[in-house]
């Protein structure tokens, strides 16, 4: 696998500064975000692609994906075009409509457009809580849809009902934990079917309350993988190694809004040390 990082924790800071900090931590591949505020939106359609490439090259970083959350179908299509301009091979987003509409009309034209450009779409398994600007407060839990791509059963439905070589899944372990699913089982199912496109190295607050907290997974430091966290990340990382996974395994957290730059970097550095040790134990390389 390729150990990578999300630019997401640096959503309050400019692109060049965020890339510099991540390069300083030793990352050479970073997933860029083009999502709705307050999520990271460092790159967007209409931006100077040359300037983005220069910022990446200056830091010695290659983009391993482009994430587009909280966007409608047309906005995602524009971000697929942006990914092609930047040489990015994977676009990540979650289920942006009720499942039947998502699979029936929302997703198919995006998959075809992406495939024509040599790009893969990785749908994140995500709680069916509608996006809102204050999602980190836990708002919206009572508005969850009946069907999205959240449980193992729904993941199976997605890749079965819309079986396309350019469509796969971005596995978010925190969301699986909320749904009481076994992460390694999901990884094996997807890898066997060549549908495992992306993996988040991501934790969740031990105090999370199912059915109450929605998308409030706790402060950033409790979402970052750590020795006293909720998940033992050596287990899914070892599973990825056994499965021969060669895609990104990307360090991620929300919950960093308002943090000073030094805190973002120091918290990521502590988590990075833990993850690299787990990677060594898993024999996964770095």
């Amino acid at each position: 696998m390729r150990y990578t990082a999300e630019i997401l924790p640096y959503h309050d800071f400019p692109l060049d500064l965020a890339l510099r900090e991540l390069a300083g931590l030793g990352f050479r591949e970073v997933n860029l975000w083009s999502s709705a505020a307050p999520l990271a939106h460092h790159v967007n359609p209409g931006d100077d692609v040359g300037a983005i490439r220069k910022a990446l090259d200056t830091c010695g970083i290659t983009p391993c994906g482009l994430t587009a959350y909280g966007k409608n179908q047309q906005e995602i299509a524009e971000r697929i075009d942006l990914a092609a301009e930047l040489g990015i091979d994977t676009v990540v987003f979650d289920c942006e409509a009720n499942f039947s509409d998502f699979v029936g009309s929302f997703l198919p034209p995006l998959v075809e457009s992406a495939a024509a450009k040599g790009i893969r779409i990785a749908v994140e398994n995500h709680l069916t809580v509608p996006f809102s600007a204050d999602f980190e407060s836990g708002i919206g839990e009572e508005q969850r849809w009946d069907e999205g791509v959240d449980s193992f059963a729904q993941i199976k439905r997605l890749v079965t009902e819309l079986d396309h070589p350019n469509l796969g899944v971005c596995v978010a372990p925190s969301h699986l934990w909320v749904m009481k699913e076994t992460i390694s089982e999901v990884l094996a199912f997807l890898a066997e079917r060549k549908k495992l496109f992306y993996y988040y190295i991501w934790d969740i607050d031990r105090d999370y309350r199912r059915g109450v907290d929605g998308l409030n997974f706790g402060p950033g430091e409790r979402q970052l993988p750590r020795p006293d966290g909720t998940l033992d990340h050596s287990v899914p990382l070892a599973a990825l190694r056994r499965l021969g996974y060669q895609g990104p395994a990307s360090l991620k957290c929300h919950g960093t809004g308002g943090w000073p730059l030094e805190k973002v970097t120091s918290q990521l550095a502590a988590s990075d040390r833990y993850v690299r040790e787990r990677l060594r134990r898993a024999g996964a390389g770095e």
Side-chain angles (χ1 to χ4, degrees), residues 18-87:
L19 293 174
R20 187 195 71 190
E21 295 294 297
L22 289 166
L25 291 172
F27 290 103
R28 294 295 172 260
E29 289 189 78
V30 171
N31 185 27
L32 303 179
W33 281 53
S34 183
S35 297
L39 295 171
H41 46 281
H42 290 94
V43 299
N44 294 286
D47 286 353
D48 184 340
V49 172
I52 297 171
R53 287 176 174 162
K54 182 178 180 180
L56 291 163
D57 290 345
T58 298
C59 294
I61 286 177
T62 299
C64 61
L66 181 67
T67 290
Y69 291 137
K71 299 296 181 181
N72 62 34
Q73 187 184 52
Q74 178 58 37
E75 290 168 333
I76 293 175
E78 292 169 354
R79 282 154 178 79
I80 290 171
D81 292 340
L82 176 61
E85 291 184 73
L86 290 170

Side-chain angles (χ1 to χ4, degrees), residues 103-165:
V103 173
S105 59
F106 190 101
L107 197 51
L110 295 176
V111 173
E112 293 300 330
S113 175
K117 299 174 177 65
I119 293 171
R120 309 180 310 169
I121 288 176
V123 176
E124 181 193 350
N125 59 281
H126 195 284
L127 301 184
T128 58
V129 177
F131 176 81
S132 65
D134 53 355
F135 74 94
E136 289 181 298
S137 70
I139 191 171
E141 173 65 28
E142 72 284 355
Q143 300 173 17
R144 287 182 65 170
W145 309 331
D146 292 333
E147 289 189 314
V149 181
D150 51 1
S151 66
F152 191 9
Q154 291 300 112
I155 290 171
K156 290 179 177 179
R157 285 189 64 192
L158 172 69
V159 299
T160 301
E161 295 185 20
L162 190 53
D163 185 7
H164 191 288

Side-chain angles (χ1 to χ4, degrees), residues 177-250:
W177 181 88
V178 173
M179 297 300 294
K180 301 181 181 180
E181 303 287 10
T182 302
I183 299 165
S184 298
E185 185 179 3
V186 174
L187 293 175
F189 172 85
L190 291 170
E192 182 179 280
R193 290 156 181 80
K194 299 181 180 180
K195 299 296 186 182
L196 179 56
F197 285 2
Y198 208 96
Y199 181 78
Y200 287 142
I201 308 177
W202 186 17
D203 215 309
I204 189 168
D205 193 340
R206 283 186 177 275
D207 294 329
Y208 181 90
R209 299 167 297 173
R210 292 181 175 91
V212 176
D213 286 335
L215 297 175
N216 179 10
F217 287 3
E221 61 268 27
R222 295 185 185 177
Q223 294 186 37
L224 285 168
R226 61 200 187 282
D228 61 343
T230 300
L231 301 174
D232 180 354
H233 294 272
S234 62
V235 176
L237 291 174
L240 290 171
R241 178 190 60 79
R242 291 194 303 271
L243 293 166
Y245 175 66
Q246 297 180 6
S250 202

Side-chain angles (χ1 to χ4, degrees), residues 89-103:
D89 67 0
T90 304
V91 173
V92 181
F93 53 91
D94 62 353
C95 186
E96 296 287 350
N98 207 0
F99 185 84
S100 58
D101 296 327
F102 187 63
V103 173

